[in-house]
């Protein structure tokens, strides 16, 4: 398995646009890994919960909100943090999570077809 | 397994923004299914090849270009078409593929955080 190219510690920090003229195999693997992190409905709902919150959300509130077991939520959160889509902050005994707004902004640009080719 | 909500025949036709105030479980499942279709480096490279082509590309040119076996490429193409990310056109004995530009545009908007919440 090839190592993922990681910038700033996470794949979502460096996705090439889909319409990039020169996309390497490493680039494709990095981009695919970010989409893989998003390929579960529970993770999409966690991301939605955090994207609609003005403040970081305690893991103790995320679990009841998404209606999944605590270990499942923890696993999803770990994958989303590893992909660079979420940020994690420890406050005493609880972890608080928020979306990485820069990463989502970059991810939106991955699908831009115009301009990239100019 | 819940049936995916499908508009215009494919999941990518109807993705809710990540920051949508009311995301149903069906919405989350549909969005996740589109990302799942993109969670393979071969599919990202196929999408890249087609996104950088001004014309639909014959499957006979896609296979050598991405360096994967013909059955693998066919499988990836099928999944990408089913997700609504590609369009397929039969010309004689060959199938030609192109990116669904509207679907990619909508997918880019899935990650928009500003405006959606206003």
């Amino acid at each position: 398995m090839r190592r993922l190219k990681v910038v700033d510690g996470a794949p979502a920090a460096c996705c090439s646009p889909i319409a990039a003229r020169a996309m390497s195999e490493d680039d494709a693997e990095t981009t695919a890994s970010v989409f893989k992190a998003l390929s579960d409905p529970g993770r999409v709902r966690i991301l939605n919960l955090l994207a609609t919150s003005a403040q970081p959300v305690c893991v103790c509130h995320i679990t009841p909100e998404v209606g999944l077991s605590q270990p499942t939520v923890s696993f999803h959160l770990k994958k989303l943090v590893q992909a660079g889509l979420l940020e994690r902050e420890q406050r005493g005994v609880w972890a608080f999570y928020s979306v990485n707004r820069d990463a989502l902004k970059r991810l939106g640009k991955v699908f831009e077809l115009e301009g990239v080719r100019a």
Side-chain angles (χ1 to χ4, degrees), chain A:
Chain A
M1 181 77 184
R2 193 180 298 113
R3 276 200 61 190
L4 296 178
K5 189 173 76 174
V6 172
V7 174
D8 291 338
C14 60
C15 286
S16 296
I18 281 294
R21 277 289 169 204
M23 178 183 279
S24 69
E25 289 194 27
D26 278 359
D27 289 340
E29 208 157 317
T30 302
T31 302
S33 75
V34 177
F35 293 131
K36 193 166 186 179
L38 285 166
S39 66
D40 177 283
R43 295 186 199 164
V44 171
R45 286 167 59 217
I46 289 171
L47 207 63
N48 175 240
L49 174 68
L50 300 179
T52 51
S53 172
Q55 303 294 329
V57 181
C58 176
V59 64
C60 57
H61 293 307
I62 299 173
T63 302
E65 193 73 34
V66 297
L68 297 169
S69 73
Q70 186 271 323
T72 301
V73 169
S74 291
F75 177 72
H76 288 334
L77 287 167
K78 188 180 163 191
K79 290 290 179 184
L80 289 167
V81 169
Q82 282 174 344
L85 297 165
L86 295 188
E87 284 167 351
R88 181 187 189 280
E89 185 194 338
Q90 192 72 31
R91 296 186 192 170
V93 294
W94 295 111
F96 283 69
Y97 292 87
S98 51
V99 291
N100 182 329
R101 293 180 171 267
D102 288 342
L104 292 189
K105 203 169 174 182
R106 273 191 300 268
L107 217 46
K109 288 188 188 300
V110 165
F111 298 100
E112 276 182 11
L113 296 182
E114 319 306 332
V116 183
R117 306 170 62 190

